[in-house]
Amino acid sequence: EGKGGSNLWCFFSENMTLAARERIALESRLRNALAQGHLQLFYQPQIDIASGSIIGCEALMRWFDPVEGMISPGRFIPVAETSGLIGPLGAWGLEQACCQAQSWRDQGLPAISVAVNVSLHQFLLTDIVGCTRKALERSGLPAECLELEITESALAERPDEALVVLRNLKNLGLRLAIDDFGTGYSSLAHLKRFPIDLLKIDQSFIRDIPQSADDMAISHAVIAMGQSMGMEVLAEGVETAAQLEFLRQHGCNFYQGYFCSKPMAATDFEKLLRGEAQR
Ligand code: C2E
Ligand code: CA
Ligand code: CA
Ligand code: CA
């Protein structure tokens, strides 16, 4: 029996070093990918529910590895977060998104905003204000066309520090959104103090509409609460006409999701915008 236990230990510890080794390997590959231009931003449209028109897009990072193919941000952002790579990676993403949005403006395409994700460590441990200012300056994008998405959990972590950073970002003139709202245990007392323009209802609350009465009640409450606090509300992960109809009936401002479109390469998004101009 003792022997079995020891074998079990070997099994676990080998697996752990394997996981650690894999993480380190991924980190160095990610560093290379950034240097060699293997990262790309995809864009998902954000739709105004009342008019049906595109009012913005969310930039979502993609890694195209020559051997492995597409690696999802769910896999490499956490590695970047714990390795310090999130600084340069985040700076690249911000500048890339701003330059792309400005290029669409230069081409006279319909005016839209671009939303960029800011992760926990990027928000609390890097110079996010300086980085954002630089991206705006270098791209020439007006600040009001940029939106930063910060997860509710990042704000809940250290609310007093978060408030200072949020105010400094707001002073640049951009828009601020809370991402994954409803999943991060932030208190309403803090929420009220934060200078937030948009609440993004997490897709886990949208997925089971209209089957789940609980999720419908929660989504309805978030829409009402956000709007009563002077914020606009966007629903994420909308996949069906029934979900969209529910959101319309409850006065939700915007939505994103496969029902309209998956995230797509910049060239494809540009075609969508050209079509929009002809509507
Ligand atoms: P997120 O910010 O919550 O982004 C929404 C995710 O939901 C995206 O996954 C998007 O492709 C997916 N999605 C959109 N519509 C639907 C839908 O109708 N149904 C379903 N099932 N999913 C939908 P993605 O692109 O894999 O990104 C995953 C996460 O990685 C993001 O979650 C965000 O936290 C992070 N991320 C992505 N790009 C960046 C980035 O540039 N910087 C940082 N810091 N994080 C990023
Ligand atoms: Ca997001
Ligand atoms: Ca989200
Ligand atoms: Ca999420």
Side-chain angles (χ1 to χ4, degrees):
E1 206 199 352
K3 213 174 160 196
S6 136
N7 281 341
L8 197 64
W9 161 249
C10 284
F11 173 77
F12 277 125
S13 89
E14 233 166 65
N15 262 325
M16 259 191 284
T17 45
L18 194 67
R21 250 185 282 142
E22 256 169 19
R23 213 190 62 88
I24 289 162
L26 198 64
E27 181 186 324
S28 88
R29 282 171 58 206
L30 180 56
R31 197 179 302 276
N32 274 329
L34 182 61
Q36 297 178 346
H38 292 166
L39 293 169
Q40 215 178 303
L41 291 182
F42 269 36
Y43 298 88
Q44 186 178 36
Q46 301 180 320
I47 311 295
D48 179 79
I49 293 179
S51 69
S53 54
I54 303 176
I55 47 93
C57 60
E58 177 176 3
L60 293 155
M61 225 178 258
R62 298 288 180 263
W63 172 3
F64 292 96
D65 183 82
V67 178
E68 213 180 308
M70 212 265 279
I71 303 175
S72 84
R75 218 177 125 206
F76 68 80
I77 294 286
V79 171
E81 276 280 277
T82 51
S83 67
L85 257 184
I86 195 64
L89 195 71
W92 173 82
L94 257 170
E95 187 164 334
Q96 181 67 28
C98 290
C99 288
Q100 184 61 75
Q102 180 57 31
S103 145
W104 289 329
R105 285 168 54 83
D106 287 340
Q107 295 174 55
L109 293 167
I112 59 158
S113 62
V114 64
V116 178
N117 290 283
V118 177
S119 52
L120 174 73
H121 288 167
Q122 195 184 353
F123 181 68
L124 289 175
L125 303 178
T126 74
D127 178 19
I128 186 64
V129 181
C131 221
T132 306
R133 185 187 298 117
K134 208 189 282 173
L136 287 169
E137 273 168 15
R138 288 203 190 166
S139 63
L141 185 74
E144 62 268 23
C145 299
L146 176 65
E147 187 168 272
L148 294 186
E149 298 190 1
I150 299 147
T151 58
E152 192 192 4
S153 42
L155 298 178
E157 189 96 349
R158 286 185 245 158
D160 294 325
E161 274 169 66
L163 180 59
V164 174
V165 180
L166 291 179
R167 283 195 178 139
N168 289 335
L169 286 172
K170 222 25 230 177
N171 283 339
L172 296 177
L174 46 75
R175 282 166 54 84
L176 290 174
I178 299 193
D179 204 356
D180 301 349
F181 188 75
T183 63
Y185 309 103
S186 70
S187 87
L188 291 180
H190 287 131
L191 192 61
K192 187 176 75 170
R193 294 157 62 212
F194 293 149
I196 298 297
D197 302 284
L198 180 76
L199 280 188
K200 298 189 76 174
I201 307 178
D202 190 71
Q203 57 189 53
S204 61
F205 298 109
I206 305 300
R207 191 173 42 223
D208 297 326
I209 292 176
Q211 292 82 25
S212 163
D214 285 348
D215 288 346
M216 287 194 282
I218 291 169
S219 297
H220 183 188
V222 171
I223 295 166
M225 184 204 68
Q227 291 177 345
S228 75
M229 288 167 84
M231 297 180 250
E232 296 183 301
V233 181
L234 179 148
E236 295 192 293
V238 174
E239 295 186 355
T240 70
Q243 290 165 348
L244 181 57
E245 190 45 38
F246 172 86
L247 295 163
R248 187 199 316 281
Q249 276 168 14
H250 290 88
C252 187
N253 303 89
F254 315 116
Y255 84 95
Q256 249 177 279
Y258 298 168
F259 185 65
C260 170
S261 156
K262 289 197 172 182
M264 59 186 116
T267 47
D268 294 323
F269 191 81
E270 195 170 306
K271 283 182 202 141
L272 192 71
L273 277 183
R274 289 191 195 289
E276 184 85 354
Q278 256 121 57
R279 262 167 45 120

Short mmCIF file of all heavy atoms in Angstrom, two decimals, residues 46 58-60 115-118 149-151 178-180 200 236 256, ligand 2:
data_model
loop_
_atom_site.label_atom_id
_atom_site.label_comp_id
_atom_site.label_asym_id
_atom_site.label_seq_id
_atom_site.Cartn_x
_atom_site.Cartn_y
_atom_site.Cartn_z
N GLN A 46 -20.39 45.36 -32.00
CA GLN A 46 -21.32 45.68 -30.91
C GLN A 46 -22.49 46.43 -31.55
O GLN A 46 -22.29 47.39 -32.29
CB GLN A 46 -20.62 46.56 -29.87
CG GLN A 46 -19.39 45.88 -29.27
CD GLN A 46 -18.68 46.74 -28.23
OE1 GLN A 46 -18.56 47.95 -28.40
NE2 GLN A 46 -18.21 46.12 -27.17
N GLU A 58 -15.35 45.05 -30.24
CA GLU A 58 -14.40 44.65 -29.21
C GLU A 58 -13.22 43.97 -29.89
O GLU A 58 -13.40 43.09 -30.73
CB GLU A 58 -15.04 43.69 -28.20
CG GLU A 58 -14.03 43.19 -27.15
CD GLU A 58 -14.64 42.30 -26.07
OE1 GLU A 58 -15.85 42.00 -26.14
OE2 GLU A 58 -13.88 41.92 -25.15
N ALA A 59 -12.01 44.41 -29.53
CA ALA A 59 -10.79 43.80 -30.06
C ALA A 59 -10.45 42.58 -29.22
O ALA A 59 -10.36 42.68 -27.99
CB ALA A 59 -9.65 44.81 -30.03
N LEU A 60 -10.27 41.44 -29.86
CA LEU A 60 -9.94 40.19 -29.15
C LEU A 60 -8.69 39.58 -29.77
O LEU A 60 -8.60 39.40 -30.99
CB LEU A 60 -11.13 39.23 -29.23
CG LEU A 60 -12.36 39.72 -28.46
CD1 LEU A 60 -13.65 39.13 -29.01
CD2 LEU A 60 -12.22 39.43 -26.96
N ALA A 115 -13.27 48.74 -28.35
CA ALA A 115 -13.10 48.36 -26.95
C ALA A 115 -11.91 47.42 -26.81
O ALA A 115 -11.77 46.48 -27.60
CB ALA A 115 -14.37 47.69 -26.43
N VAL A 116 -11.06 47.69 -25.83
CA VAL A 116 -9.86 46.88 -25.61
C VAL A 116 -9.90 46.32 -24.20
O VAL A 116 -10.22 47.04 -23.24
CB VAL A 116 -8.59 47.73 -25.82
CG1 VAL A 116 -7.34 46.91 -25.56
CG2 VAL A 116 -8.55 48.32 -27.23
N ASN A 117 -9.59 45.02 -24.08
CA ASN A 117 -9.58 44.37 -22.77
C ASN A 117 -8.32 44.70 -21.98
O ASN A 117 -7.22 44.70 -22.53
CB ASN A 117 -9.65 42.84 -22.94
CG ASN A 117 -11.01 42.40 -23.43
OD1 ASN A 117 -11.96 42.34 -22.67
ND2 ASN A 117 -11.09 42.11 -24.72
N VAL A 118 -8.49 44.97 -20.71
CA VAL A 118 -7.36 45.20 -19.81
C VAL A 118 -7.47 44.17 -18.69
O VAL A 118 -8.48 44.13 -17.99
CB VAL A 118 -7.39 46.62 -19.23
CG1 VAL A 118 -6.26 46.83 -18.25
CG2 VAL A 118 -7.33 47.66 -20.35
N GLU A 149 -12.07 47.87 -21.26
CA GLU A 149 -12.89 46.92 -20.51
C GLU A 149 -12.06 46.34 -19.37
O GLU A 149 -11.02 45.73 -19.59
CB GLU A 149 -13.34 45.77 -21.42
CG GLU A 149 -14.21 46.22 -22.56
CD GLU A 149 -14.84 45.03 -23.31
OE1 GLU A 149 -14.60 43.87 -22.92
OE2 GLU A 149 -15.56 45.30 -24.28
N ILE A 150 -12.56 46.53 -18.17
CA ILE A 150 -11.87 46.02 -16.99
C ILE A 150 -12.82 45.07 -16.28
O ILE A 150 -14.01 45.38 -16.14
CB ILE A 150 -11.46 47.20 -16.08
CG1 ILE A 150 -10.49 48.09 -16.88
CG2 ILE A 150 -10.77 46.71 -14.81
CD1 ILE A 150 -10.59 49.53 -16.57
N THR A 151 -12.31 43.90 -15.91
CA THR A 151 -13.23 42.93 -15.32
C THR A 151 -13.64 43.37 -13.92
O THR A 151 -12.91 44.05 -13.22
CB THR A 151 -12.61 41.52 -15.20
OG1 THR A 151 -11.43 41.62 -14.40
CG2 THR A 151 -12.28 40.95 -16.55
N ILE A 178 -17.22 47.90 -17.42
CA ILE A 178 -16.96 46.76 -16.54
C ILE A 178 -17.32 45.50 -17.30
O ILE A 178 -18.46 45.34 -17.76
CB ILE A 178 -17.78 46.83 -15.24
CG1 ILE A 178 -17.40 48.09 -14.46
CG2 ILE A 178 -17.50 45.59 -14.39
CD1 ILE A 178 -17.91 48.11 -13.04
N ASP A 179 -16.32 44.62 -17.45
CA ASP A 179 -16.47 43.37 -18.19
C ASP A 179 -16.94 42.26 -17.25
O ASP A 179 -16.70 42.32 -16.04
CB ASP A 179 -15.11 42.99 -18.79
CG ASP A 179 -15.24 42.10 -20.01
OD1 ASP A 179 -16.36 41.71 -20.37
OD2 ASP A 179 -14.19 41.81 -20.62
N ASP A 180 -17.60 41.25 -17.81
CA ASP A 180 -18.03 40.07 -17.05
C ASP A 180 -18.85 40.45 -15.82
O ASP A 180 -18.69 39.84 -14.75
CB ASP A 180 -16.81 39.23 -16.62
CG ASP A 180 -15.99 38.75 -17.79
OD1 ASP A 180 -16.45 38.88 -18.93
OD2 ASP A 180 -14.87 38.26 -17.56
N LYS A 200 -21.10 45.45 -18.87
CA LYS A 200 -21.26 44.33 -19.78
C LYS A 200 -21.73 43.11 -19.00
O LYS A 200 -20.98 42.55 -18.19
CB LYS A 200 -19.93 44.01 -20.50
CG LYS A 200 -19.43 45.17 -21.36
CD LYS A 200 -18.23 44.76 -22.22
CE LYS A 200 -18.64 43.91 -23.40
NZ LYS A 200 -17.50 43.63 -24.31
N GLU A 236 -23.53 40.35 -23.35
CA GLU A 236 -22.53 39.56 -24.08
C GLU A 236 -23.08 38.18 -24.41
O GLU A 236 -23.93 37.66 -23.69
CB GLU A 236 -21.31 39.31 -23.20
CG GLU A 236 -20.52 40.52 -22.81
CD GLU A 236 -19.19 40.09 -22.18
OE1 GLU A 236 -19.18 39.51 -21.08
OE2 GLU A 236 -18.18 40.33 -22.84
N GLN A 256 -23.63 42.00 -28.04
CA GLN A 256 -22.56 41.38 -28.80
C GLN A 256 -22.86 39.90 -28.81
O GLN A 256 -23.40 39.39 -27.82
CB GLN A 256 -21.26 41.53 -28.01
CG GLN A 256 -20.21 42.44 -28.55
CD GLN A 256 -19.03 42.53 -27.59
OE1 GLN A 256 -19.08 43.26 -26.61
NE2 GLN A 256 -17.99 41.78 -27.87
CA CA B 2 -14.18 41.80 -22.86
#
